Amino acid sequence: MALDQSFVGRTYPPTPAYEVGREKIREFAEAVGDTHPAYVDSEAARALGHADVIAPPTFVFSITYRAAGVVVQDPQLGLDYSRVVHGDQKFRYVRPVRAGDRLTVTSTIESIKSLAGNDVLDIRGDVHDEAGELVVTAVTKLVARAAEEA
């Protein structure tokens, strides 16, 4: 069953603040194999004009994906998560994520499309810092595969 188009534009409440820690950044950079010194060395980050270590560009996915979970679990939306695959991910940065940032994510359903019986859902996660300034926007594309015919 196709998802209801009336959900396009629906915005969900912001998440609780997530405090970005140096160790979390280091662990993430190590996990993805990114050895850029600005991710682990405060001096290297300062030499590039940052106040502290910065996070790799995909780091923010860990908090925006969690925030998108609120959308996915909305019983009114009726998305069958057991049929969902991750279709795409995009980031539009205003500035890098830094150690010490306290970030919140507000999720909005940007689009719902039906393609070949599959539902394609774009969820925009606007990530703001403590001052309310936009840091990055992440767009997660989820594909709910069509149910198999009996």
Side-chain angles (χ1 to χ4, degrees), residues 22-100:
R22 282 186 199 94
E23 185 63 13
K24 286 289 185 186
I25 292 172
R26 185 197 62 75
E27 289 170 348
F28 186 88
E30 184 177 284
V32 298
D34 196 330
T35 60
H36 195 289
Y39 304 149
V40 295
D41 181 351
S42 296
E43 290 302 317
R46 279 194 275 284
L48 294 172
H50 304 289
D52 204 341
V53 296
I54 59 171
T58 56
F59 175 87
V60 76
F61 178 77
S62 59
I63 61 172
T64 59
Y65 185 75
R66 190 175 305 145
V70 173
V71 177
V72 168
Q73 294 171 7
D74 182 341
Q76 293 178 329
L77 179 61
L79 181 67
D80 180 358
Y81 193 70
S82 71
R83 307 200 63 74
V84 169
V85 294
H86 186 248
D88 193 19
Q89 187 68 50
K90 294 183 175 142
F91 302 100
R92 293 186 300 269
Y93 273 88
V94 174
R95 68 159 175 86
V97 170
R98 301 182 285 239

Side-chain angles (χ1 to χ4, degrees), residues 1 4-5 15 31 35-37 44-45 50 62-63 69 71 74 92 103 110 115 117 130 134 139 143:
M1 186 166 108
D4 185 347
Q5 289 289 321
T15 61
T35 60
H36 195 289
H50 304 289
S62 59
I63 61 172
V71 177
D74 182 341
R92 293 186 300 269
L103 304 174
E110 267 209 336
L115 300 169
E130 232 173 349
L134 181 66
V139 179
V143 180

